[in-house]
């Protein structure tokens, strides 16, 4: 999903850059305030860990292999704000050392993969954890969050490409979203498997963040983050930034489908009154790009169906991965 | 030791390597932005930029075979997205334009990466008032990248030497365990590093 140089035009690159800069700035500020100094080396090492983990190739079959992206994994292990910094560091090194992802597209890549990819999935994870307690909830939440964040990031990526005029929205959106609905399953599986592996060897690394009081009997020095940091304030800021990004990059795609108000107007016959004296002549009649609204609808329906299926798969996966109470 | 397989050529000796890092970074950025802004009608512009980059490659003594291999490695991602443009209004012309543009930008960034040690780039970032938490994270990440990749490689060798032939499902489980183990080691190592940093008077 790394966008290379040359695919984004100036307005997209700049607006994505501005949002990414805001998000990263907030994450740095937040992490700098809430992280104890002893956690700072772990940020750099987690970035190397994510990078090395991305290099592990998981065989998919027919000669292809998938790899982890790691946004949600980092967010679950470190918390949302450190995860944004860690993922941004990974993207910066990939861009500057390996030319993977363009320098002019760095803002867009940070927005898609570090901010939407980590925080978007983390919000889902927290929501699921509230309803399903214990390790099982963590695994369901992480797997489902990983899938959601992968798909959401691909929607943003498609929106940015379409906004730049690189590809037509009716092509790029279904292509990106459908591919990433499949890739997301791999991401969900790997995220849950890695978390389960960590829970087997060092459960306190997971519970240290989730349930600090129960997990650290000796002292809070051993506990990475003392007390569960309030996610409310950060959630508000990240939520605002992500919805701003969605509004800029994605809503132009959605608005070409007939919206609710139009539907109502049609029903009560208000439409004719509106059509007779148009206030402004629309450049594209009825916001309708040829052949698009059906594609958007199909993508939305497929997305909704996929979401339900993946959630149940995540539940199943967590059931398999959680050790039974009797066997422990 | 695989120690320097990632940025082997960034420490070569050449006039380009000797240039100050901030100059090279600015030049690479200018080159990328310039290439993106060249309109499709002026094909000679792309040729000129490409020729200049080839000249720099020659002066910098980076083996061209290495650069071409790296380019070919990255090209599938570029073409994968560019193919989508085939179905757009521009058709073939748009596809060609994107492919040429991206390849030139990639070459510029590859040249920057292979003529400038990452530690120099970090120094420029630190001087450019990038928040210290980010620079510290980047610096530690760069320093331990080699260690981690080597550690993953060592775990793989250990597994292979025990004549282990897993099925695909088992292999996923196993790779996930390797990744999990890498994180466990990362968090342990971070503790040691913190202690060492404090012992040397950090902060």
């Amino acid at each position: 999903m790394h966008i290379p140089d040359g695919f984004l035009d100036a307005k997209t690159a700049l607006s994505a850059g501005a949002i990414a800069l805001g998000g990263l700035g907030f994450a740095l500020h937040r992490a700098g305030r809430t992280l104890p100094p002893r956690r700072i080396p772990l940020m750099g090492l987690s970035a190397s860990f994510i990078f090395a983990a991305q290099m592990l190739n998981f065989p998919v079959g027919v000669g292809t292999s998938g790899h982890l992206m790691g946004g949600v994994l980092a967010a679950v292990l470190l918390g949302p704000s450190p995860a944004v910094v860690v993922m941004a560091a990974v993207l910066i090194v990939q861009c500057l050392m390996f030319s993977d992802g363009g320098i002019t597209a760095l803002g867009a890549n940070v927005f898609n993969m570090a901010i939407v990819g980590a925080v978007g999935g983390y919000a889902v994870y927290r929501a699921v954890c509230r309803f399903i307690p214990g390790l099982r909830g963590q695994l369901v939440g992480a797997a489902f969050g990983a899938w959601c964040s992968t798909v959401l990031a691909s929607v943003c990526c498609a929106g940015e490409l379409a906004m730049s005029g690189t590809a037509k929205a009716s092509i790029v959106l279904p292509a990106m979203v459908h591919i990433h609905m499949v890739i997301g399953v791999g991401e969900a599986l790997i995220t849950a498997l890695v978390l389960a592996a960590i829970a087997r060897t060092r459960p306190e690394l997971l519970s240290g963040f989730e349930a600090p009081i129960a997990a650290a009997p000796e002292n809070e020095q051993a506990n990475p983050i003392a007390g569960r940091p309030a996610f409310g304030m950060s959630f508000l800021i990240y939520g605002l930034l992500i919805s701003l990004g969605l509004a800029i990059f994605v809503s132009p795609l959605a608005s070409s489908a007939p919206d609710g108000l139009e539907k109502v107007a049609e029903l009560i016959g208000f439409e004719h009154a509106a059509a007779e004296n148009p206030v402004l002549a629309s450049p594209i009649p009825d916001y309708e790009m040829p052949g698009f609204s059906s594609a958007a609808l199909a993508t939305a329906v497929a997305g909704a169906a996929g979401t339900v299926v993946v959630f149940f798969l995540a539940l199943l996966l967590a059931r398999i991965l959680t050790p039974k109470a009797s066997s422990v | 030791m695989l120690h320097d397989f990632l940025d082997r050529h960034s420490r070569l000796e050449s006039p380009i390597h000797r240039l100050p890092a901030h100059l090279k970074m600015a030049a690479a950025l200018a080159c990328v932005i310039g290439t993106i802004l060249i309109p499709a009608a002026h094909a000679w512009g792309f040729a000129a930029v490409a020729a200049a980059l080839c000249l720099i490659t020659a002066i910098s003594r980076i083996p061209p075979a290495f650069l071409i291999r790296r380019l070919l490695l990255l090209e599938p991602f570029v073409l994968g997205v560019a193919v989508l443009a085939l179905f757009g209004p521009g058709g073939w012309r748009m596809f060609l334009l994107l492919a040429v543009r991206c390849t030139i930008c990639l070459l510029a960034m590859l040249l920057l990466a292979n003529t400038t040690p990452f530690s120099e780039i970090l120094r420029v970032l630190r001087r450019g008032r990038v928040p210290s938490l980010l620079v510290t994270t980047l610096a530690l990440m760069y320093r331990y990248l080699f260690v981690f990749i080597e550690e993953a490689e060592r775990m793989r060798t250990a597994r292979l030497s025990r004549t282990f032939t897993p099925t695909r499902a088992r292999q996923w489980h196993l790779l996930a365990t390797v990744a999990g183990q890498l994180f466990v080691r990362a968090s342990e190592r971070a503790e040691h590093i913190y202690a060492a940093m404090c012992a040397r008077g950090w902060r």
Side-chain angles (χ1 to χ4, degrees), chain A residues 69-119:
Chain A
M69 280 181 273
V72 174
L73 184 63
V76 171
L77 290 171
L78 307 166
S81 293
V84 171
V85 177
V86 163
M87 291 307 290
V90 171
L91 290 169
I92 291 171
V93 166
Q94 281 172 341
C95 168
L96 289 180
M97 265 181 81
F98 302 97
S99 317
D100 192 6
I103 182 99
T104 52
L106 191 58
N109 285 331
V110 166
F111 175 71
N112 296 346
M113 280 179 279
I115 298 177
V116 173
V119 183

Side-chain angles (χ1 to χ4, degrees), chain B residues 121-156:
Chain B
I121 294 180
L122 283 177
R123 196 164 299 152
V124 174
L125 292 183
R126 203 182 286 276
R127 229 183 304 141
R129 314 266 307 253
V130 175
S132 72
L133 183 59
L134 185 60
V135 180
T136 309
T137 304
L138 284 171
L140 278 168
M141 175 185 177
Y142 173 64
R143 213 157 296 171
Y144 284 93
L145 203 57
F146 303 91
V147 179
F148 276 73
I149 293 172
E150 234 179 85
E151 209 151 56
E153 192 59 30
R154 238 188 348 255
M155 283 193 235
R156 203 178 75 89

Side-chain angles (χ1 to χ4, degrees), chain A residues 155 159 162 169 173 246-260 262 286-289 292-297 300:
Chain A
V155 170
L173 182 72
L246 289 177
I248 294 175
F249 306 125
V250 181
S251 64
L253 305 182
S255 70
S256 55
D259 64 352
E262 226 165 306
D286 222 3
Y287 294 93
E288 189 95 48
M289 293 175 204
F292 180 65
S293 72
S294 63
L297 194 68

Side-chain angles (χ1 to χ4, degrees), chain B residues 6 29 33 39 48 52 58 61 63 80 92-94 103 106 117-119 123 126 140 143 162 171 184 186 192 202:
Chain B
L6 289 179
L29 190 61
I33 293 176
R61 294 190 205 149
W92 265 106
R93 288 181 58 84
M94 187 70 179
T103 310
L106 274 180
F118 195 68
S119 49
R123 196 164 299 152
R126 203 182 286 276
L140 278 168
R143 213 157 296 171
R162 284 159 181 80
Q171 208 166 348
V184 170
H192 298 166
W202 187 67

Side-chain angles (χ1 to χ4, degrees), chain A residues 5-62:
Chain A
D5 279 316
F7 280 125
L8 298 183
D9 64 0
K11 67 174 187 305
T12 316
L14 286 178
S15 50
I19 299 174
L21 209 62
L24 183 58
F26 176 71
L28 281 167
H29 169 78
R30 187 87 192 159
R33 274 236 328 260
T34 54
L35 271 189
R38 59 181 299 113
R39 282 281 275 191
I40 287 174
L42 186 56
M43 303 258 288
L45 265 68
S46 299
S48 338
F49 155 70
I50 294 285
F51 191 97
Q54 286 184 347
M55 289 177 77
L56 295 175
N57 279 319
F58 287 74
V60 177
V62 281

Side-chain angles (χ1 to χ4, degrees), chain A residues 272-323:
Chain A
H272 298 291
E276 272 160 26
N277 37 353
V279 184
L280 271 173
S282 165
I284 307 163
D286 222 3
Y287 294 93
E288 189 95 48
M289 293 175 204
F292 180 65
S293 72
S294 63
L297 194 68
T299 308
V301 169
T307 310
V308 176
V309 170
V310 167
F311 183 73
F312 283 103
L313 283 180
L315 276 175
L316 191 70
L317 181 69
R319 183 170 291 244
I320 296 169
L321 288 178
T322 347

Side-chain angles (χ1 to χ4, degrees), chain B residues 48-65:
Chain B
V49 177
L53 289 176
C54 288
L55 186 69
I56 293 174
T57 313
I59 300 174
S60 69
R61 294 190 205 149
I62 301 170

